[in-house]
Amino acid sequence: MDEEEELFLARIIAGIEGGGDDEPHYHELVPDLKSLLETDDDELLNRFYVSLSSAASSFLRCFSAAMDSPVESGRLAISASEAYLSLLLSPNCPVFTFFSPVAFLSLLGSIRRYLKPRRREDSGSAAGSSSQGNKKKRGRGGGSKKNARVGREDGDEAEEGGFDAKLVFRVLERLGSVLGFVHLDRFPDSLKSLVQAVSEIPLLALEHSGVLNYDRLMEMCGRVLGGVLSSDHGDVSLTAAEISKSLTPLLLMGKHQARSFALGFVSRKIMGLAKDNSELKKVVCNLPKFLVHKAPEKAEPRGFAVEAILEIVKAMEVEDQLEFVEFVMKMGQGKSNMRILAVDLIPLLMSSLGNPFGSISSENGVEDSWGLGCLNALVQRCSDSSALIRARALSNLAQVVGFLSGDERSRSILKQALGFTGGETSEGKGRITDLLKKRCVDEKAATRRAALLLVTKLTSLLGGCFDVSILKTMGTSCSDPLISIRKAAISALSEAFRICTDEVVTTEWLHSVPRMVMDNETSIQEECENVFNELVLERISRAGNSPSQGSAPLPENWNSSSKDIDRDIEALFPEGVLVLLRELCNSEVSPWVKKICGSLGKKKQLKPRVALALQSIIKESESLWLNRSMPINKWTAPAGAWFLLSEVSVYLPKSVEWEFLHHHWQLLDKNELQEGTDGQGDEEGVECSSSTWAGDRVFLLQTISNVSLQLPPEPAADLADNFLKKIEKFNLHSAEVDAHVKALKTLCVKKACIPKDSDVIVKKWVDQVLSKACKVTEKYIEGISSNNLSFATPATLGSRRSKKLDSVSKKLSKAITAVYTIGSCVIIYPSADTTKIVPLLHTVITSGSDSKLKSKLPQANACLKQKSPLLYSQSWLTMAKICLADGKLAKRYIPLFAQELEKSDCAALRNNLVVAMTDFCVHYTAMIECYIPKITKRLRDPCEVVRRQTFILLSRLLQRDYVKWRGVLFLRFLLSLVDESEKIRRLADFLFGNILKVKAPLLAYNSFVEAIFVLNDCHAHNGHNNSDSKQSRTKDQAFSIRGNDERARSKRMQIYVTLLKQMAPEHLLATFAKLCAEVLAAASDGMLNIEDVTGQSVLQDAFQILACKEIRLSVSRGSSSETAEMEEEGGDSNAAAAKGRAITQAVRKGLIQNTIPIFIELKRLLESKNSPLTGSLMDCLRVLLKDYKNEIEEMLVADKQLQKELVYDMQKHEAAKARSMANQGVGCGTSHRSREPEQPPTAAAAAGAREENVRDSVLESRVVSAAADAMAAIAARSVLREVNGGAATPPLSAMSVPKLRSSLGGGKQSGRPSADVLESLRRRPTFMSDDDN
């Protein structure tokens, strides 16, 4: 047995001393050594140590090579590391003899290599080499039984794929044990490598997380790192700094166990040790600052970095936390990456550290609070130059306001900090109000959305009381082009309306949110319906179903005035319900209310309690009026109540009581006000009450019509007879006529037992009404024709003639109502017989035309257009309704409608004719298409109502594709962008910015150049001339903005900018090229007459467009802030960057090939003609030289002379501009001095003063000239420096300048110009532009 052991030891020693670098050698040596170290024979181990001590260097060299071996994906190396660590841990081992920094580094390297990700083929080859090694070992037959046992155990422990998790755990466990007695203070490099290797293990082990216990691995890594945090291994603070630095990648990574391990180790282990060590405490306090500088710029990784920093700061002591807070506030003043981190950190610090206003004292106020410092820093970043930082700051400020609003003390401090203090809070005026006004209309969408989010949070803080301008801004944001902004605006405004029922908030909400039901986005429509149901219908339901207070006793000093009654009624219904109802029937709100109620009714989301509440409100109002002993004939229901009831009753007919409707119909029908009952002093009140009663009757009739199918048969029949009698009297208001006719038709359906009988009944009473109406109209026309009273003596009051005039007036009113009733009946029953009516209406509408019959028989053909303009207008409207029902008749009369639309001088009639023509366009599209240009002329109508009506109706036709965007239609719509009416301008902005951008994205691009010529009314271009140029000019002159004055140019430029904003980058690029080719090149080739005033305007507009920033958006190089914003928005920044690079290359190519040569040729032409447009060209060229400096340099690289000439010409132009500005300043100073009072001078003093004035004027002229030259030289040098890539401007002697002949007539020519030539060149600009002489 002893002999075998000796042989075993001898084989190991021999292998160590004489072993080569072949891998089979290490495969035998490592298992033999591990087998030896596992024995319990201390004597054998001592003999081995004695024998090995003499060969220590060979041992270290051999095992270092084994631990560096890459065989079997590092398995041999990790096995050698295990054997090496086992040797160091074995009893009586001379540790310092066998420990070496080189071997230790090899050991750490073996762990890294073994944990590195491996490919499948690597694991396969490793398995193959392992099997070959085993075969070779078995073939030798030199292995002992112990060796075989070790090999089998290793084979059993190995996992599939060659990775052995247990082997890794054994190595790490032995490594931690070795560090207990091997101190690395003498080996700082080894300590640093150890820290780095162990910190990398959590990342390297990610691939093997399925075959090893990851939690146990993290625990062992923490044990190793914790072991080196001891004074035995050197300075603890330096070691902690190295550990923190090595763990930084783990701290900054996404959510994973490795990150949790790193955070836990830093916040618990290192923080625990730092409590008793001041130096270590400094390291811990500096770690968050270090992470700030290492934080990535992208949004998601930056968020992980912020979370890690916050976790570490939370584990710090209070004074250290405050120090870091001060550091964060200073970050807010640093570079952009620091500012964005500060903005992200501030809300988390304020919410996590707790009680940000905790240090506030009554003595010092709020200045000592760190929370207020953070709040101020955040508010400052809301105005940052970077759009991304602005947006983040606003969002985070909203977050801060949200979590600080829950505590009353914090709310009061927050209001004070934001400037909402004292009485100003109720008005919503504060420090942040002006900020919100700007940010809600910011050019960046993310900023606008964040500002609206902040408004939503501030609403709950302030109780919904905002400045009116903020509310207006939120209302405007509801029309934003972006869907997300519109949603945010609806949410913000609805939150304000939910909290505050003030009249201003209610009005703005109703004028902004309900109209979004017509939005193209379905989700916005649904949101609009939901908030309307919640904030309007539910609020009305609560108010109407509240306990009745109508029978409250009268106070002793009560005064029965209508104002007191109104106040009592408003007090009766809380939550501003009466204001809400009154605004619902506003003409700008009611169409959207109808649409929403219809949509909710179809979805069966209208609840019966809404109708019951409205009836209760009307009843309570009437009851309160009667309790105050007021006359019932002066009572009116709360405004809007009947209107809303008429809309919801369509879908809730069973919820409306017949007794309620019958009672109020009798009340409204019998108590019509009579003229003059209250005397002259109350005429205005009577008229107002009368219109209110008429409106209520209309809505009541609609409600009766809606619920008629639920009425009992007998009351329905009586009501129908009543309606028919009232219609046949022809004394109703036009709105009441429609309501009576519709209600009567609906009641006929109820009255008839069979559906066919209802048609017979309707036909019967329609024919009856038409017959009577025809007789009334015909009788009036005959009376006017036979009694021409134009030249009669004026009637006196009370005379027989006065009574006759009153009778005629009543007949006229009756005839107008009869004609209107004819149209209403035709609408509800299109098949009615109109054979007798059409000739009668034809007589009226043609009475104003010239005819031979009229000249021969003036008495028989009196002009009804002049005598009865209302009847004349009403006849056109009724004829239009008949034409809608009869296509053949429409074909005959549509030309007459178009003619009257063009020549009528009555705005109301033109408005009605526009409505009629657009209706014809829907029913008879082919017939009306040729008259579209005549309809579009109303876009320039002198009446604003007609212009707005035309714009709205044509826009609807265009959206529904009844009219196409072709011909002059688009070009005529452009002028609505600069209309005198703000409402029309807003409608036009919405049409071009929202609808056309989606429906016709190429329209602005295709028509842009043509729009320039049309807006300038330019016919000086050969390509735009035609045989009908004079006629075309007369037609289009009304749709042009002629003139070269500042006002006309600014209007045209506003239109151009709007069109450019609708274009995609590639279309902007093409527009740039088209302008150069079709305008600039045409001018240089002579196709565009630049001596014509309109041609000059076109050319000047082209220069301004090419120099404006909107057309240069396509070639912007893509700043980092824009890229960051795209990333924040979730866009694909890489694709956008690639697209930007492609556009840039295309622009460079286009500039090189087309633009600059055209500019040079055009410049020479304008200079030859001494054109005033040279200045505009030079301004545009200066912008191009600065924006495309690299491209210009490439183009002019072969022609430096041309480049110098361009810069020289620019210098002259800049000098002239600067001199002109300076002259204006000097002139102002001189005129100011001349206005000073002076004493009358003597003759000698006057002569001296004249001489002094001459000297002063010469001196001022020289100063002006010198200043202008200096400014021009600086401007030109800056341009040239940019063009030359930073090279200095060449001296004048090196430039090619014109040679001037000497005044002496001779002189030698040399390579360098003479001093006289240089002096003449220097002084030449001064004399060229000296206008004072």
Side-chain angles (χ1 to χ4, degrees), residues 586-606:
N586 187 289
S587 59
E588 295 184 2
V589 179
S590 56
W592 318 124
V593 175
K594 294 178 181 179
K595 177 72 175 177
I596 293 174
C597 290
S599 179
L600 291 175
K602 292 175 182 177
K603 297 177 182 178
K604 297 183 179 180
Q605 293 181 3
L606 287 177

Side-chain angles (χ1 to χ4, degrees), residues 496-518:
F497 186 40
R498 186 177 289 111
I499 295 175
C500 179
T501 58
D502 185 73
E503 184 175 357
V504 177
V505 180
T506 302
T507 302
E508 187 60 37
W509 188 89
L510 287 174
H511 282 76
S512 301
V513 175
R515 62 189 174 93
M516 300 307 296
V517 74
M518 298 300 293

Side-chain angles (χ1 to χ4, degrees), residues 972-989:
R972 291 185 175 182
F973 259 79
L974 292 177
L975 272 79
S976 300
L977 290 166
V978 290
D979 194 273
E980 296 176 358
S981 170
E982 183 184 357
K983 292 182 179 179
I984 297 178
R985 291 198 302 270
R986 279 172 27 193
L987 289 171
D989 288 334

Side-chain angles (χ1 to χ4, degrees), residues 469-535:
S469 58
I470 296 292
L471 294 172
K472 295 288 185 184
T473 305
M474 287 192 288
T476 305
S477 299
C478 291
S479 301
D480 196 273
L482 294 181
I483 296 174
S484 58
I485 305 297
R486 298 202 294 274
K487 287 183 177 179
I490 292 174
S491 176
L493 204 53
S494 299
E495 183 65 22
F497 186 40
R498 186 177 289 111
I499 295 175
C500 179
T501 58
D502 185 73
E503 184 175 357
V504 177
V505 180
T506 302
T507 302
E508 187 60 37
W509 188 89
L510 287 174
H511 282 76
S512 301
V513 175
R515 62 189 174 93
M516 300 307 296
V517 74
M518 298 300 293
D519 196 273
N520 294 330
E521 177 63 26
T522 307
S523 59
I524 292 182
Q525 296 176 12
E526 294 175 354
E527 178 66 17
C528 179
E529 293 171 3
N530 292 336
V531 295
F532 186 87
N533 194 8
E534 174 195 354
L535 301 178

Side-chain angles (χ1 to χ4, degrees), residues 673-709:
L673 294 175
Q674 299 179 359
E675 298 180 3
T677 51
D678 294 332
Q680 297 179 355
D682 202 23
E683 283 185 8
E684 185 177 351
V686 170
E687 184 178 355
C688 180
S689 299
S690 178
S691 62
T692 305
W693 279 75
D696 287 349
R697 282 199 298 271
V698 170
F699 296 132
L700 176 56
L701 285 169
Q702 292 179 2
T703 307
I704 293 174
S705 175
N706 296 335
V707 303
S708 60
L709 295 180

Side-chain angles (χ1 to χ4, degrees), residues 52 127 143 213 224 318 413 475 674 714 737 778 862 880 1032 1118 1226 1280 1320:
L52 191 61
N213 189 338
V224 173
V318 176
I413 297 173
Q674 299 179 359
E714 293 183 2
V737 172
E778 186 176 3
S1032 176
V1226 171
L1280 186 61
S1320 67

Side-chain angles (χ1 to χ4, degrees), residues 709-756:
L709 295 180
Q710 307 296 326
L711 298 180
E714 293 183 2
D718 295 340
L719 199 58
D721 293 337
N722 187 6
F723 287 169
L724 182 59
K725 291 177 181 179
K726 292 181 70 66
I727 292 173
E728 291 177 345
K729 291 179 180 180
F730 302 115
N731 59 357
L732 298 173
H733 188 269
S734 58
E736 293 183 274
V737 172
D738 285 332
H740 278 78
V741 169
K742 292 178 181 178
L744 182 56
K745 179 185 177 182
T746 310
L747 289 172
C748 288
V749 176
K750 179 66 178 177
K751 189 175 181 180
C753 301
I754 305 174
K756 293 182 179 180

Side-chain angles (χ1 to χ4, degrees), residues 149-296:
R149 179 177 54 82
V150 171
R152 282 194 300 272
E153 289 177 356
D154 289 345
D156 293 340
E157 291 173 356
E159 299 288 342
E160 185 178 357
F163 182 80
D164 188 356
K166 296 180 180 179
L167 183 58
V168 175
F169 291 140
R170 290 199 300 270
V171 170
L172 291 177
E173 185 177 1
R174 286 173 171 77
L175 178 60
S177 301
V178 166
L179 292 177
F181 53 86
V182 177
H183 301 156
L184 300 179
D185 53 344
R186 294 180 299 157
F187 312 106
D189 292 339
S190 298
L191 177 62
K192 183 177 180 179
S193 300
L194 172 65
V195 170
Q196 292 177 352
V198 176
S199 300
E200 290 176 7
I201 287 176
L203 289 177
L204 296 173
L206 289 176
E207 184 189 2
H208 309 290
S209 58
V211 296
L212 56 79
N213 189 338
Y214 203 83
D215 292 335
R216 183 185 173 192
L217 181 66
M218 296 301 100
E219 180 185 355
M220 299 187 74
C221 291
R223 194 179 304 162
V224 173
L225 292 177
V228 298
L229 282 174
S230 172
S231 57
D232 295 336
H233 295 281
D235 191 346
V236 177
S237 60
L238 295 178
T239 305
E242 188 62 38
I243 292 175
S244 301
K245 182 179 178 181
S246 301
L247 290 178
T248 297
L250 274 68
L251 293 171
L252 298 179
M253 70 182 299
K255 294 183 178 180
H256 195 270
Q257 288 175 304
R259 180 170 179 266
S260 302
F261 155 72
L263 283 173
F265 185 83
V266 171
S267 58
R268 287 193 291 270
K269 182 67 177 179
I270 301 181
M271 290 289 182
L273 296 174
K275 293 180 179 179
D276 303 325
N277 191 329
S278 59
E279 294 298 324
L280 185 57
K281 188 176 181 180
K282 292 181 181 178
V283 174
V284 172
C285 293
N286 288 329
L287 177 58
K289 302 177 183 178
F290 178 76
L291 293 176
V292 163
H293 291 282
K294 292 294 182 181

